[in-house]
Amino acid sequence: MAWTNILTDLLKVNYPIIQAPMLGVSTPEMAAAVSNEGGLGSLPVGGLSPDATKQLIRTTKSLTNKPFAVNLFAHNIPSYSEDDLEPMRKLLLQLAAKRGYDLNAADLSNFKLYNYLDQIDILIEEKIPVVSFTFGCLDPDSIEALKRNACTLIGTATCVEEALYLQQQDIDIIAVQGIEAGGHRGTFIEDMPLPQIGLFSLLPQIKKAVRIPCVAAGGINSARTMKAAVELGADGVQIGTAFIGTEESQAIPSYKTRLNNAKDTDTALTKAFSGRWARGIRNEMMNEIEQAGIPIPPYPLQNSLTAQFRKLAQQNNDIEYTTLWAGQSAVRTTLTQSKDIIRNLIEGYEAL
Amino acid sequence: MAWTNILTDLLKVNYPIIQAPMLGVSTPEMAAAVSNEGGLGSLPVGGLSPDATKQLIRTTKSLTNKPFAVNLFAHNIPSYSEDDLEPMRKLLLQLAAKRGYDLNAADLSNFKLYNYLDQIDILIEEKIPVVSFTFGCLDPDSIEALKRNACTLIGTATCVEEALYLQQQDIDIIAVQGIEAGGHRGTFIEDMPLPQIGLFSLLPQIKKAVRIPCVAAGGINSARTMKAAVELGADGVQIGTAFIGTEESQAIPSYKTRLNNAKDTDTALTKAFSGRWARGIRNEMMNEIEQAGIPIPPYPLQNSLTAQFRKLAQQNNDIEYTTLWAGQSAVRTTLTQSKDIIRNLIEGYEAL
């Protein structure tokens, strides 16, 4: 990977290294630190209100004058009845009481659900140079409006068919998400079993199928893994888990400690937290919800149902009842600053 | 990867490229062709009778004077009662009748189950230079006997813990099986969920954990994927799916054609055929058995129960009722000779 290539040209950065957008973990400080170091920071705003979106963007801008990406969730909001949510509400109230948390029925209803259409105008007003997204593809009008405003678009694919669809919709760059990746699967083609394709198989096949640049995501945490991704056809890399332990991360201390002690077999895919498949370290909340035998409402409903419970757990530094998103390559590290992670990768790569 | 390294020294071959043992697909002709070209051919004999084992070894020896590996299944035979097998027998007879096959109750009972202990003496008598195995670890006495006879041992690991166990048992080489790999998972630590770790995450972690050479398996089918594996720490590679379409393969013609048209999302892990997790292209037999809602007897019982049905399907070139083992990187190819696959990899790698 040359440090100057088609990807650095498109993104206007020095290094084709993207900090993965991790909602609940990434912060304006993290995105700015990565962008200031010459990579591309990412600010996740999926599902947030327009006001919160604007405020996070403004904060990030106050910390860097380099380009950064804003990350959207391109999902649809499913129709639902209150009755559909009752069994899960009951379960969550039981689990919270058992764990000693003061969770109320009111915390599990009347939530306001936003989608990205509420945020597009703000991104254009704020002249965001790169918009990345997952869980689907933006609608044609939004794509057209963003591109008319000089915005570069990155879509997420977990199989060849999704990559081809994104290319056809005029998206500029594909984030190729291997099964190794932590957090939510970007999968959006729904009439088939969840694709669970390792990066080693997925990246060469997507690279061969599309003509636009590809960014490798999942399992990358070192100069050598970057180099391997380049051999498989990557024009750049996206790195998430390695940033969870940094000072700029919102992760609670016990989550950072747990991650630093993670084994290769500790993560699992689950719908328990959000209603969408995501990879995290197995914990009690995941197990209890999966084993309860009641249907898990689809995203973003389950995500909203579990939100206050997870917030209470986080306030108590309790890793058993919050999300512990992590990829399959969590490694023990002493690097605690986002800028050092970028610097370390660059220096290591140049020394290969 | 230097063509001469610790692995080629141990295996006494010219290139650190191993043809994966694929029972039902690999043949003496395939193993000999690969070994004659300077790689390491593998002859799978897992679960075969001592007589069949000896005959296959003799045939391979008649075709090459180069080293080749013999591959064993290191499983235990579970205790069972005839009653445990009745629901599956009934289902298989129903499915066969529906498909028009003359399957009889007698085909589904009184099968003779062998394990590797029946084969060790033959391997020693025949002075086999390399024994690889999967589904577990050989017992200490067998390990000692084989090593005393100058045999190099290759064990299969799907997580760090398995690799460490194999090293501790004095195994010489680890085959690191990423989730991308076709055919049976080598997993043998059973008190946890099936490890499903992508090669991109698994290989660097195992390489870091052990001091013995590692062979990358799963997703490798080209010079570039070989190079990427080397960047991740591989001392050599093992390649399976790419050989299924060759003239030396036992795969039926319709299986070869199906493989040549496979998409990245076509494979799934299933226990339907053998009672052990394995990756293959989804077909009717897999779907029918999985969806029947009856327990699948453990390996090797289910394997024996489905054997005659699969044989009848193969005789009819029927891909819906036989195993279509395949990795996630099946690609369209025009190479039809095993030696050309080896040659192509070597020449491609040297040109990188």
Side-chain angles (χ1 to χ4, degrees), chain B residues 2 37 39 147 198 203 211 219 242 245 250 253 268-269 271 296 341 352:
Chain B
E37 208 60 35
K147 295 196 79 156
L203 180 53
R211 57 182 184 277
Q250 283 184 76
L269 292 177
K271 284 188 171 182
I296 297 176
I341 289 174
L352 282 181

Side-chain angles (χ1 to χ4, degrees), chain B residues 269-298:
Chain B
L269 292 177
T270 185
K271 284 188 171 182
F273 294 108
S274 73
R276 276 193 70 101
W277 289 111
R279 180 178 299 286
I281 296 173
R282 211 168 248 302
N283 66 3
E284 202 170 299
M285 190 167 196
M286 197 190 291
N287 291 335
E288 292 281 2
I289 292 175
E290 287 177 0
Q291 290 160 16
I294 59 173
I296 297 176

Side-chain angles (χ1 to χ4, degrees), chain B residues 31-46:
Chain B
V34 170
S35 288
N36 284 336
E37 208 60 35
L40 185 76
S42 299
L43 181 71
V45 300

Side-chain angles (χ1 to χ4, degrees), chain B residues 92-119:
Chain B
L92 292 170
L93 290 171
Q94 279 169 1
L95 290 174
K98 192 171 122 194
R99 192 72 179 174
Y101 291 126
D102 188 18
L103 190 69
N104 303 306
D107 297 325
L108 305 180
S109 50
N110 302 320
F111 29 77
K112 175 85 179 104
L113 299 172
Y114 298 98
N115 87 358
Y116 75 89
L117 292 169
D118 304 311
Q119 300 169 307

Side-chain angles (χ1 to χ4, degrees), chain A residues 274-297:
Chain A
S274 73
R276 275 192 70 99
W277 289 110
R279 181 178 298 285
I281 295 174
R282 214 168 245 300
N283 66 2
E284 201 169 301
M285 190 167 196
M286 198 190 288
N287 290 336
E288 292 280 4
I289 291 175
E290 286 177 1
Q291 289 160 15
I294 60 173
I296 298 176

